[in-house]
Amino acid sequence: MGIIEKDQVFLKRFLTLCVEHDCVPDFVSFLLFPYETKETGGTIVYKRAVRENFETEQIEMMREILDSLDIPKCKLYITEWNNSISNRNYLNDSCFRAAYIARKLSEIGDSVDLISIWMGSDWVSSYYDTVGIANGGSGILTKDSIRKPAYFALQFMNELGDTLLSKGDHYIITRKGKQSYYMICFNFKWYSSNYFLRDENIQNPEVLADIFEDDQPVKLEIELEDMPVNEKFIIKRRTVNREKGSILSEWKRFQYENDLDGSDVKYLRETCIPGLSMEKRETGKGRLQFDVTLQEHEISMIHIYQDLA
């Protein structure tokens, strides 16, 4: 296991020795966090990467090492991955992280054999100062088991079909069986320079509105071809954005109060779920057309299936 950029020389030397001694490992694992390493006076310094495609570059770097040694059967695992190593960063609780997960998985999912997000629950990073409903921990669940937007991003990705039809900057479209389609849509926004000029430990949720490049919505015009002619289809949509499924938005209704009782926590646990909507459309001449408008950092899972009623 290693950090690609920091341990590149060691990893290449180690794998070279493995090849020479005929003991090639079944897999190589590494950590993937968006930080650049710099050595200053013999000390390693980590700085947040400003390049949006940093994760893709790191995986390509590791693939080049494996290809140069002619060991393509060696699998590539990401054992820990997140947008930040901080456990006091409200980005971890925000819709940004959900959109980040969806966007990055669409970019790097085909390049590695396994990806493990860092981490499951905020209990791992709970200390004496973790008194709020959310504390910026890196779990996909809070210490009270409230599901964060990141949780639903992973859930949505796991529901995608086994046949990939198309993917782009804001969507992945798949199919299950003959006439059941699952697509995830996302409107990911990159940081503005303001994010890199402030401390990474963001401990005020209100700050999040000022650290992204823009807050503009995205409109997608979807058209599915080769559909049955003049048939009705159901379009069911589950959405997570600042209005639905966001723990920070729901907690804001309590003025970010820390002293909440059990019934309040139960309310938040049951309220922080995706919004659900449904509509019916006809295929006309074998085409199904509809539009999807996404807020900034919104993710949506859309299930399209034939209306048999």
Side-chain angles (χ1 to χ4, degrees), residues 83-144:
N83 55 283
S84 172
I85 59 172
S86 171
N87 277 298
R88 292 296 178 269
N89 186 339
Y90 276 115
L91 282 175
N92 286 323
D93 305 317
S94 70
C95 291
F96 159 82
R97 191 182 180 201
Y100 171 85
I101 289 172
R103 171 66 173 268
K104 293 301 177 179
L105 284 178
S106 73
E107 292 176 348
I108 68 178
D110 296 335
S111 303
V112 294
D113 299 286
L114 179 144
I115 302 176
S116 300
I117 197 165
W118 188 73
M119 56 188 67
S121 171
D122 282 354
W123 270 113
V124 178
S125 58
S126 289
Y127 302 103
Y128 67 92
D129 63 335
T130 52
V131 295
I133 290 297
N135 294 278
S138 55
I140 60 174
L141 299 172
T142 71
K143 58 183 173 44
D144 297 302

Side-chain angles (χ1 to χ4, degrees), residues 63 66 101-102 139 144 167 178 225 282 287-288 304 308:
R63 281 292 179 196
L66 296 178
I101 289 172
D144 297 302
K167 67 177 181 178
K178 292 184 177 181
E225 301 177 340
E282 290 192 3
R287 295 173 182 265
L288 184 66
I304 304 162
L308 301 177

Side-chain angles (χ1 to χ4, degrees), residues 69-80:
L69 298 173
D70 195 24
I71 48 176
K73 292 184 179 180
C74 183
K75 294 184 177 181
L76 199 56
Y77 293 168
I78 300 174
T79 52
E80 293 182 15

Side-chain angles (χ1 to χ4, degrees), residues 97-98 101 139-141 146-156:
R97 191 182 180 201
I101 289 172
I140 60 174
L141 299 172
I146 301 172
R147 291 169 290 182
K148 302 181 186 182
Y151 174 97
F152 297 110
L154 292 175
Q155 184 182 71
F156 290 174

